[in-house]
Amino acid sequence: MSERALRGTRLGATSYETDRGIDLAPRQTVEYACTNGHRFEVPFSVEAEIPTVWECRFCGSEALLLDGDEPEEKKAKPARTHWDMLMERRTREELEEVLAERLAVLRSGGMNIAVHPRDNRKSA
């Protein structure tokens, strides 16, 4: 091809290859239905594991595989709070002891709490 034939063709953005003479992998079409009544088909390879849940292409909600098993419920792991992690490391008695020690230091004035420089400004 000459340079003139490729000028202005967005070379790189468009593929000039064709599907002629290529054997595609065997496929199967699977049908899904969402809770809003939309039904659609998705092509999969014959060897692929078919998911029981797929996102609806019309509304984005969860669509279930028609004529398939119900999806397995995932066990939800409860969120670990700061208190939960603290209780993994210390007993309640140890925490009460540490609290009593820190309160005693605060009450005796033994902690030198630095004053932030912005707090010393005179109010206008």
Side-chain angles (χ1 to χ4, degrees):
M1 256 186 198
S2 69
E3 283 185 31
R4 291 182 188 153
L6 294 176
R7 188 177 298 163
T9 61
R10 298 187 326 231
L11 187 62
T14 306
S15 174
Y16 292 104
E17 293 183 17
T18 63
D19 291 339
R20 276 184 274 149
I22 296 175
D23 292 330
L24 298 176
R27 298 168 191 241
Q28 62 179 327
T29 304
V30 179
E31 191 172 8
Y32 288 90
C34 79
T35 55
N36 295 330
H38 301 125
R39 291 172 76 117
F40 57 94
E41 293 180 342
V42 180
F44 286 99
S45 169
V46 173
E47 301 166 357
E49 185 177 323
I50 308 300
T52 57
V53 178
W54 196 263
E55 182 179 325
C56 177
R57 64 174 53 158
F58 301 107
C59 64
S61 66
E62 236 180 37
L64 296 176
L65 176 66
L66 288 181
D67 302 327
D69 299 332
E70 290 292 319
E72 296 177 13
E73 291 292 324
K74 294 181 181 178
K75 294 180 181 177
K77 192 173 180 182
R80 279 179 45 194
T81 64
H82 178 72
W83 179 254
D84 294 332
M85 290 184 270
L86 183 64
M87 292 307 289
E88 289 175 6
R89 296 189 310 269
R90 309 236 183 188
T91 64
R92 193 167 189 94
E93 292 78 26
E94 289 174 327
L95 292 173
E96 288 176 3
E97 186 178 322
V98 171
L99 176 63
E101 289 174 8
R102 300 314 298 162
L103 285 175
V105 170
L106 279 174
R107 289 184 181 131
S108 68
M111 268 185 83
N112 186 7
I113 301 175
V115 178
H116 197 276
R118 291 184 187 171
D119 294 340
N120 291 335
R121 289 183 286 176
K122 293 182 181 178
S123 56

